Amino acid sequence: MTGIWIAVGVGVGTNFKDMGKGSTIVVVASDIEEEAALWYLRIKTARDRGAKVITVNPRSTEMDRWAKSVRYAYGEEVAALQKVELPADLAALDSSG
């Protein structure tokens, strides 16, 4: 696995309260407002504190009103993720993997 895939995910110790300016949250293939309303609110609060939020979905979601959105055709998820512009710190992880 390369660096970016290791760095992405919600794992043990992830705390949305610590996210804000300098954080990037990428939501992939999920309508988080419908599927996990509590996470939606926590992501929105992190965005209000300055976190960058990117959605990668085949269809529009409520989050698109305030997040950067990347669309893809069903089956083209990997190609869409490769188009996501990563912050410099995450891009450096990806190139080191």
Side-chain angles (χ1 to χ4, degrees), residues 13-96:
T14 299
N15 189 344
F16 286 102
K17 291 179 184 176
D18 295 336
M19 295 181 183
K21 188 174 182 177
S23 299
T24 300
I25 301 168
V26 181
V27 178
V28 180
S30 178
D31 185 349
I32 206 88
E33 182 189 33
E34 294 292 326
E35 297 168 12
L38 182 59
W39 282 16
Y40 172 83
L41 293 173
R42 290 181 177 173
I43 291 169
K44 191 172 182 184
T45 300
R47 187 277 323 246
D48 293 344
R49 289 192 304 262
K52 180 179 179 182
V53 180
I54 303 168
T55 62
V56 183
N57 281 301
R59 59 186 173 81
S60 63
T61 67
E62 176 67 20
M63 209 178 249
D64 295 342
R65 291 186 312 125
W66 46 266
K68 178 180 177 185
S69 300
V70 175
R71 291 282 174 269
Y72 62 86
Y74 288 99
E76 298 296 323
E77 294 85 352
V78 173
L81 283 170
Q82 291 171 337
K83 293 179 183 177
V84 173
E85 294 179 28
L86 299 173
D89 55 340
L90 289 178
L93 281 175
D94 189 40
S95 64
S96 68

